[in-house]
Amino acid sequence: MGLPTPDTSHLRDPQFASVYEPAEDTYLLLDALENDRARLHAQRPTICVEIGSGSGCVSAFLGQVLAPHGSLIISTDVNPAATLATQQTTERSSGPAVFAQCRMRFVQALEQRLRGNIDVLVFNPPYVVTPEEEVGGTGEAAAWAGGCDGRVVVDQLLPHVSMLLAPGGTFYLVVIEENRPDEIIQLMAAQGLDGKRVIERRAGRERLSVLRFTKKQGV
């Protein structure tokens, strides 16, 4: 029997109208994390970070996946409503994980402290191909507007991933085919990260995948 999906019923409150609700990409990421449960338990992560937490569904679920091992799970988002939604979602989650929410872009305010210390990094980015001017807001569009090839926001994070991860750390990234995932895997290999597709699924016209990267020891 699979782990339960976290309760996000509070998103019906009008104050959360700008928050990205769990959808097919969210559920694919949950499946990838649950499929890797034994792997993650063996890793025994201390610090986990979800960038762009939205509803908080993924952060809360990651806490379930890691139980009974207790980890610090930091969730960041540029949307203040998403930060509050994540707080309420994780408060409804049981287990030993400790949750913290921060309103920020990526991990900017914590980058120096987190450098080389993140054991698990998760990002379901704004990957939809859109005009460039739609990228970079703090409302609902920030959850999906990805600019040219849907890669504008992703490409801003990728150069920092290896620096942020602890040796042996893991990075999960949601992509669609338009994002050129094979190219992303090659780019990350140059940073010393081994990457592969761990799960994929078609959702309407989109072919969704989750890429998993592992930082090599000694990098």
Side-chain angles (χ1 to χ4, degrees), residues 77-154:
D77 205 294
V78 296
N79 182 348
T83 303
L84 179 59
T86 296
Q87 178 184 346
Q88 293 191 17
T89 301
T90 55
E91 284 176 348
R92 299 179 180 206
S93 179
S94 60
V98 176
F99 296 98
Q101 298 78 42
C102 302
R103 183 189 174 193
M104 69 178 73
R105 189 171 185 273
F106 299 154
V107 295
Q108 286 179 339
L110 298 173
E111 187 167 321
Q112 294 303 315
R113 291 189 177 187
L114 292 175
R115 185 190 297 261
N117 289 312
I118 298 177
D119 299 300
V120 178
L121 180 64
V122 182
F123 191 26
N124 183 2
Y127 55 67
V128 177
V129 179
T130 65
E132 297 284 332
E133 58 268 22
E134 294 184 13
V135 178
T138 58
E140 186 177 13
W144 50 264
C148 180
D149 296 323
R151 283 272 297 273
V152 170
V153 178
V154 171

Side-chain angles (χ1 to χ4, degrees), residues 11 37 44 58 74 88 94-95 108 135 137 148-149 166 198 201:
L11 295 182
R37 192 176 188 183
R44 296 185 63 82
V58 173
I74 302 170
Q88 293 191 17
S94 60
Q108 286 179 339
V135 178
C148 180
D149 296 323
V198 292
R201 184 176 302 156

